[in-house]
Amino acid sequence: MPEILAREEARAQVVAAVVALPEALRRVVLLRFYDGLDSGAIGRRLGIPPSTIRSQLQQALATLRRRLDSSHGDRRAAWAIPFASWFAAARPNGLLSLLRVSGPLRAFAGAVTVFLLGWLSAPLWLAAPPPPIPLGPGEVVVTKGPDPSERQAAPVRREPSATEVSTAAARGPEDFWGTVVAAADGSAIAGAEVLLEHRHADEFPNLDVEYGKRVDGIGSARSDAEGHFQFHVERALQHRLTVRANGFAAVVLPYCTGGSEFVVRLERAGFVEGVVHHQDGRPLADVLVDGVERGSIGDGVSTRTAADGSFFLADLPPRPCYVRVRPTSLQAPDWQLIEVQPGAGTRLEFVVAPGRRVHGVVRDAETGLPVPGAAVATNWAMDDAVQSSGDGSYECTGLGLGESLRVRAEGFAEQVLPIDDQADVVVVDVALVRGRSVFGRVLDDERQPLPGARVVAATEEWQGQNRHHTLSRSTTTANDGTFRIDGLARTATTRHWQLSVRAPGFGARVLALPPQQLLQGPIDAGDIELAAQALLEGRFVNADGQPIARAEVRVAIEPEGFSQLLPGVDPQAAPLFHFASRETRTGNDGSFRLAGLGPGRYEVRARIPGKDWDVASGAIEVVAGQLLVVPDLVADVGLTITGRVRIAGQATQPQRSQFVLYAEAEGTESRAADVANDGTFTIERLEAKPYTLFAIQVPAGLAMVPRPAVIAGQKDVEVQLVAAATIEGRVVDHDGQPVRGAGVAFWPAGTSSARNHQTDAAGRFRIEVAPGVVGKLTATDRGGFLRGAAIDNVAAGNRDLVLQLPAR
């Protein structure tokens, strides 16, 4: 009798745990263990690839094991042993008899739990658990399950940090939990709205605006009386966490994964008020004004100006924020960066200029016929696009300097054309060429068609030595796994076109397309097989072993099989940055996780927020289906230079006068550090050498004299800002005509970084520098066609300099 009671109690707990699963996971569990269907049959019934079914089953089983373990004090034997001996004795007749019981509830409680408990407890009674895997210096741990469906749950063990100990027994990498508190005093905030979502475009540098809007809602909740919230998530998947509460600024945290607690500190919002008017003094009504936190990928806050041009922008986070205005048909002024204070406001003024006008006709390059309906814009997102009319004509207004024209039309290759900066009205006629195509089929790891995979084709087009544009096209595979992308072109200025193929649960693939075939006609990429995804996990800690939270983690990728479609070795073929990089952030315990990795060589780099240096893992080989744990990345600041910046004749710095201080030494990489509001700075990760300290962008009217021979390790270094002198002059072309929009820079002797200044309509420039400083003055045209001029030994105070650019 005791054995029966223990078994029935265990079975009741399994039933409750299954019922509590998310609907998608509960559905596949019932089809597998109640209806007795295999992964292929389930996939056909639900229209989902078998590999996805296996992944969901494994996720469900791992979740059930974890929940049953945690409810028995992390002792699997407490719930598995009462059932294991009976399970062994009952096969096969006992199982068959339970499958014949009548009634839906009895059938569920019987058949499901018999089969399911066998699967859940199998690791206990079929084999002993594996021993812990030690992590030695420089060691990479790779675990691989016996079956692809087991890969995500492969055990990787290490000693938990102090932060992890309290939650390790109850939570794991598929749990997402946290606490909402007030930043001022740390008190819990109850009733805060907590939204968790997965945005597919957050997983990689995205080139598709529409794809960037694709969102999967994971869940929403309200924080409880203690400020707590919790969700169930997929392991290593990137999420975006948004938290809102009355009286506080919203917090948006991108790149969040499960397995680490999130403490969300809410602060009182700040605000911005101001006015937008035309340069002739007229107020501008109904102009969009928005604000976004610096470095954020959130949507920010927005408003529109009133009839008198005034605006009030509320709910800004109390951190550095950009405020911008976007007038219709007029030139948008520069963004303004402000330091938002909690509960306080800042007043701004924006002056809007008419801008320049560009017009022309879009035609078919082969037939000469007009192309109606072509989209013409000045940015890659095409959010300011106008449509060419029936006769192919178009007009864009409100343009600034240095802009390019992008033109897209169905069946044609996209074109990016430079706009001459020397006139306010420019004619740009466009001759579009017919684009080529690439087609193929995407298969899963069982060579079954994979519908819904995202396929992106992209390349870079170079225009001069220092200007390039990214061109891209994308699509989604059909039910039979096929895809076709049109509108590709091959010119002398484009690199290899490349394909990026991604699907949930699979490792991404990147393939270079043969350029010569693109000249001849469509390219058949053939069957592109996606293997089971690999997961990569690790931690970022300081020299004392303490975790570093919300640090930036970037991964550089050399994808396996990148050149397999090329006819031979091509040294120019290399993956685009958009296809060969990933990004995430560390959690509260310093952990980071990435999913969706394909085979290849990887390098992980972690950076502390606000620092200009990072820590690298070295090369890592990634194999399909692995769970790979890298050794801890340790941030050691090394030698430092610390000190304070002072303004000559003043006790303190002006408010919001932060700038960047650089340190350079011969034969080493330059280092930089932000100068705080109180003037203090710390430059880290230096070698045992003398350095020159300098700044290239300081508060208006001030300048810094470069300070040489500062030894690494020196403390209390005092750096002075002084009243600036100027260097002034003009940039002209080979005919002596003024060049508008040319880039002019002054390089103080002994430094290798400079701030770029633009010439005005008369070709004039004005640069603030420290008195007595001597350096090199350079000028280049905006087109980047290798046209440049330079003058050596230029001193502060020179005001009639002329730099003449050579002919193109």
Side-chain angles (χ1 to χ4, degrees), residues 207 438 454-460 462 470-474 483 485 488-490 494-501 509-515 518 523 525 528 557 559 562-563 565-566 570-581:
L207 295 169
V438 59
R454 193 68 177 175
V455 185
V456 181
T459 189
E460 285 181 337
W462 291 83
T470 301
L471 309 178
S472 67
R473 289 284 190 272
S474 58
F483 69 89
I485 298 178
L488 312 185
R490 173 67 180 172
T494 56
R495 291 178 57 186
H496 288 76
W497 279 91
Q498 303 173 19
L499 287 182
S500 171
V501 187
R509 291 288 307 276
V510 181
L511 299 172
L513 299 179
L518 196 62
I523 294 178
I528 302 174
I557 307 168
F562 172 73
S563 301
L565 297 180
L566 299 182
D570 187 343
Q572 300 300 317
L576 294 172
F577 164 79
H578 305 81
F579 295 163
S581 66

Side-chain angles (χ1 to χ4, degrees), residues 214-268:
R214 180 177 169 183
V215 177
D216 289 342
I218 305 301
S220 61
R222 294 280 179 179
S223 58
D224 64 17
E226 297 178 335
H228 298 155
F229 62 87
Q230 183 167 345
F231 301 95
H232 182 78
V233 298
E234 183 178 334
R235 183 169 188 163
L237 195 68
Q238 305 297 308
H239 300 87
R240 190 179 295 195
L241 176 67
T242 303
V243 182
R244 300 184 180 91
N246 291 333
F248 296 93
V251 170
V252 180
L253 297 177
Y255 308 114
C256 299
T257 59
S260 174
E261 180 183 15
F262 289 86
V263 179
V264 183
R265 295 176 172 85
L266 300 187
E267 300 176 273
R268 293 180 61 198

Side-chain angles (χ1 to χ4, degrees), residues 641-651 661 679-681 693 704-708 710 714-721:
I641 296 174
T642 63
R644 183 182 297 273
V645 177
R646 298 187 185 279
I647 299 175
Q650 297 185 25
L661 194 66
T680 58
F681 66 86
L693 305 186
M704 174 184 168
V705 178
R707 174 154 180 187
V710 180
Q714 191 169 339
K715 300 180 179 180
D716 301 322
V717 176
E718 185 169 305
V719 174
Q720 277 204 342
L721 300 183

Side-chain angles (χ1 to χ4, degrees), residues 63-123:
T63 301
L64 292 171
R65 287 193 187 106
R66 188 180 65 255
R67 289 178 177 175
L68 290 168
D69 286 348
S70 63
S71 65
H72 289 83
D74 269 348
R75 294 171 54 248
R76 183 162 300 173
W79 60 267
I81 285 179
F83 190 80
S85 60
W86 179 86
F87 178 84
R91 296 178 295 169
N93 296 332
L95 298 181
L96 295 176
S97 63
L98 277 171
L99 286 172
R100 289 194 291 267
V101 296
S102 61
L105 180 60
R106 291 175 60 194
F108 174 77
V112 171
T113 51
V114 168
F115 280 96
L116 193 50
L117 267 169
W119 279 76
L120 293 172
S121 59

